[in-house]
Amino acid sequence: MDHPENDEKYIGLTVNSGVAQPPSVNPYLKRHRRKPLPTVGEMVEGIVKGDITMLSRAVTLVESIQPEHYALAQEVIEKCMPHSGDSRRIGITGVPGAGKSTSIDIFGRHVLRDGGKLAVLAIDPSSERTRGSILGDKTRMEKLSQHPGAFIRPSPSAGSLGGVARKTRETIVLCEAAGYNNIFVETVGVGQSETAVHSMVDFFLLIQLAGTGDELQGIKRGIMEMADGIVINKADGDNIGPAQLAQAQFKSALHLFPPAESGWSPEVLTYSGYYELGIAEVWDMIDRYFALVKENGYYERKRMQQARYWMYETIDSRLRSHFYDNPEIAAMLEDRERLVLSNRQSSFTAARDILDYYFSKK
Ligand code: GDP
């Protein structure tokens, strides 16, 4: 068929009629379909043997939003539990640009210098990074990602903070069962995610920058209070002086906090992730922390508290979704919300009616 644009008033522009699309762009694509899911037994066996493919598949299952995957993932986690726990879980936070990727790249290689394995996980509920961007994370931590002992996994894709955090927490269990005795959990230090990370790690490292003159500004007291170590990055070149000044300021600010339950006094150090300066000192601090808390029993106690926290957290989130995902409840909520907003029913009566209906269905 001739195109209207082939009219002479469009001199110079010729539009050819298209070609029919082939039925499939790549007729061989079918061959690349995912293999069927392994059984729970196969997955657990593979994970415990340290098989990275099985580990990745199990993590994908944990991250899945499909209800049947949830049940399967829980079974795998349950069976991996007895093999997990023996590790150092370290949370690393800092605002974007603080140098987290650069630092994790070198911290990770430092940790692996004498062998062992390291899993780098992340909690970033706002993350636009999804499955395809694993490559993105690999380029962020270029040298580390080539290390045979490193397993780098981006944040579960965007969702509620609680949901994203729970998935990361469950992934820790799987990684430990696969022999990863060092776990880094990275988070962007801008919101609530620090609290979530704090609830799953043994040591919490806060990366800061110097150079603005008012370093303490904008750092929430709560985040500083959670930190077991504050490290000031980019202490190189002209920035060494400002970094040392920031170090002094953070040190005096920390004096204002009450002593920590761990018996550990948080330390403030300077380093340069890029030029790989002061890395051993940062790690020496972390080693000393673990020696202390393993000796005084806090390590175990904190893990127990965290296990309890996650039990209640999981109950809360499942109860909520059981309630809110029910289509009848959703319709009722919409209806009652209208009544409440137009002052025809009180909030309390509306809530009571909906809950009464929900419980009557049990
Ligand atoms: P992230 O957003 O926290 O992951 O930060 P990146 O690791 O991507 O670093 C942000 C920028 O700071 C990059 O351009 C890095 O090259 C730079 N950077 C990171 N660490 C250092 C350091 O120790 N010294 C200097 N001068 N620059 C650094």
Side-chain angles (χ1 to χ4, degrees), residues 95-102 140 233-234 236 272-275:
V95 293
K100 290 181 296 303
S101 319
T102 316
R140 286 201 307 133
N233 189 17
K234 308 194 187 181
D236 46 57
S272 166
Y274 190 82
Y275 294 100

Side-chain angles (χ1 to χ4, degrees), residues 95-103 106-107 207-211 231-244 246 269-279 282:
V95 293
K100 290 181 296 303
S101 319
T102 316
S103 304
I106 174 63
F107 287 159
I207 299 182
Q208 286 293 327
L209 290 179
V231 285
I232 297 148
N233 189 17
K234 308 194 187 181
D236 46 57
D238 292 345
N239 208 27
I240 293 182
Q244 285 168 345
L269 300 173
T270 62
Y271 78 107
S272 166
Y274 190 82
Y275 294 100
E276 307 188 0
L277 306 168
I279 309 300
V282 172

Side-chain angles (χ1 to χ4, degrees), residues 83-330:
H83 305 279
S84 80
D86 185 17
S87 68
R88 290 177 168 204
R89 302 174 183 161
I90 296 166
I92 299 177
T93 196
V95 293
K100 290 181 296 303
S101 319
T102 316
S103 304
I104 291 173
D105 196 83
I106 174 63
F107 287 159
R109 284 181 284 129
H110 185 82
V111 164
L112 292 173
R113 71 200 183 284
D114 301 324
K117 297 212 280 181
L118 164 70
V120 180
L121 312 175
I123 295 185
D124 181 5
S126 66
S127 176
E128 295 293 312
R129 297 192 248 131
T130 45
R131 205 134 306 295
S133 64
I134 293 169
L135 197 66
D137 276 48
K138 293 218 158 135
T139 45
R140 286 201 307 133
M141 297 156 197
E142 212 180 326
K143 293 188 189 136
L144 182 61
S145 65
Q146 287 164 17
H147 196 293
F151 175 74
I152 302 177
R153 186 87 190 183
S155 174
S157 38
S160 72
L161 171 60
V164 171
R166 182 182 52 75
K167 289 170 187 176
T168 302
R169 158 85 176 153
E170 291 176 346
T171 300
I172 292 180
V173 174
L174 301 180
C175 291
E176 289 179 358
Y180 289 83
N181 55 340
N182 296 282
I183 310 280
F184 288 179
V185 185
E186 176 194 1
T187 187
V188 178
V190 286
Q192 291 298 309
S193 25
E194 294 82 11
T195 319
V197 177
H198 191 239
S199 65
M200 63 180 85
V201 298
D202 308 310
F203 186 96
F204 193 74
L205 188 70
L206 175 62
I207 299 182
Q208 286 293 327
L209 290 179
T212 56
D214 45 5
E215 281 76 18
L216 298 180
Q217 254 190 11
I219 300 165
K220 291 187 204 80
R221 189 193 148 93
I223 296 179
M224 267 185 75
E225 217 160 354
M226 279 190 279
D228 300 300
I230 297 179
V231 285
I232 297 148
N233 189 17
K234 308 194 187 181
D236 46 57
D238 292 345
N239 208 27
I240 293 182
Q244 285 168 345
L245 183 66
Q247 180 183 26
Q249 287 175 325
F250 275 110
K251 273 189 179 167
S252 58
L254 282 178
H255 279 309
L256 304 174
F257 292 144
E261 198 197 327
S262 56
W264 167 259
S265 307
E267 296 184 6
V268 188
L269 300 173
T270 62
Y271 78 107
S272 166
Y274 190 82
Y275 294 100
E276 307 188 0
L277 306 168
I279 309 300
E281 287 75 5
V282 172
W283 235 257
D284 174 61
M285 162 178 73
I286 294 176
D287 285 343
R288 282 186 285 110
Y289 172 86
F290 276 98
L292 177 82
V293 296
K294 285 206 166 174
E295 168 80 28
N296 70 14
Y298 182 74
Y299 173 86
E300 271 300 315
R301 206 157 65 242
K302 186 169 178 185
R303 287 217 169 173
M304 290 297 123
Q305 285 168 1
Q306 290 173 335
R308 188 176 52 204
Y309 169 88
W310 283 100
M311 182 181 92
Y312 285 106
E313 185 63 27
T314 308
I315 292 174
D316 282 357
S317 82
R318 293 218 67 193
L319 281 176
R320 274 170 171 274
S321 54
H322 190 262
F323 178 78
Y324 286 107
D325 295 347
N326 179 323
E328 288 175 63
I329 296 293

